[in-house]
């Protein structure tokens, strides 16, 4: 019996619900972006061609994570507004 088949077992009393961690949320994306930006700044201050290229690449990666975090925040805000409108 595989692990996925054993999900028919009753939940353990007092156990917290397991969060799906397959997709990072907006907080994780913001942290990834901040770390990437900090690493890019440190690489750009070194001044060699290789570190400049690596720093520029990290700025792109950080930008990607910031945009993804913004989209997740906007999506969450829309869902919250929709739920609030339904409850009125």
């Amino acid at each position: 019996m595989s692990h996925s088949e054993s999900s028919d077992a009753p939940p353990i009393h007092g156990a917290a619900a397991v969060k799906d961690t397959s997709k990072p949320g907006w907080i994780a994306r913001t942290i990834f972006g901040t770390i990437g930006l900090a690493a890019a700044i440190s690489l750009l201050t070194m001044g060699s061609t290789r570190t400049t290229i690596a720093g520029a690449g990290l700025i792109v990666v950080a930008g990607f994570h910031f945009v993804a975090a913004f989209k997740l925040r906007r999506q969450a805000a829309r869902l919250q507004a929709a739920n609030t409108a339904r409850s009125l």
Side-chain angles (χ1 to χ4, degrees):
M1 180 183 258
S2 71
H3 178 68
S4 63
E5 293 174 341
S6 65
S7 63
D8 295 334
I12 298 172
H13 180 69
V18 177
K19 183 180 178 186
D20 180 22
T21 57
S22 61
K23 294 183 180 180
W26 71 270
I27 295 173
R29 292 281 188 178
T30 304
I31 292 170
F32 294 154
T34 304
I35 292 170
L37 196 57
I41 290 170
S42 70
L43 287 173
L44 289 173
T45 59
M46 292 181 192
S48 72
T49 303
R50 290 181 182 175
T51 59
T52 302
I53 293 169
L58 279 174
I59 288 175
V60 171
V61 170
F64 168 78
H65 284 294
F66 285 133
V67 168
F70 174 74
K71 286 181 179 180
L72 287 171
R73 287 286 292 171
R74 187 172 55 185
Q75 180 183 19
R78 285 181 181 165
L79 289 174
Q80 185 177 10
N83 288 338
T84 304
R86 271 191 233 140
S87 66
L88 294 178

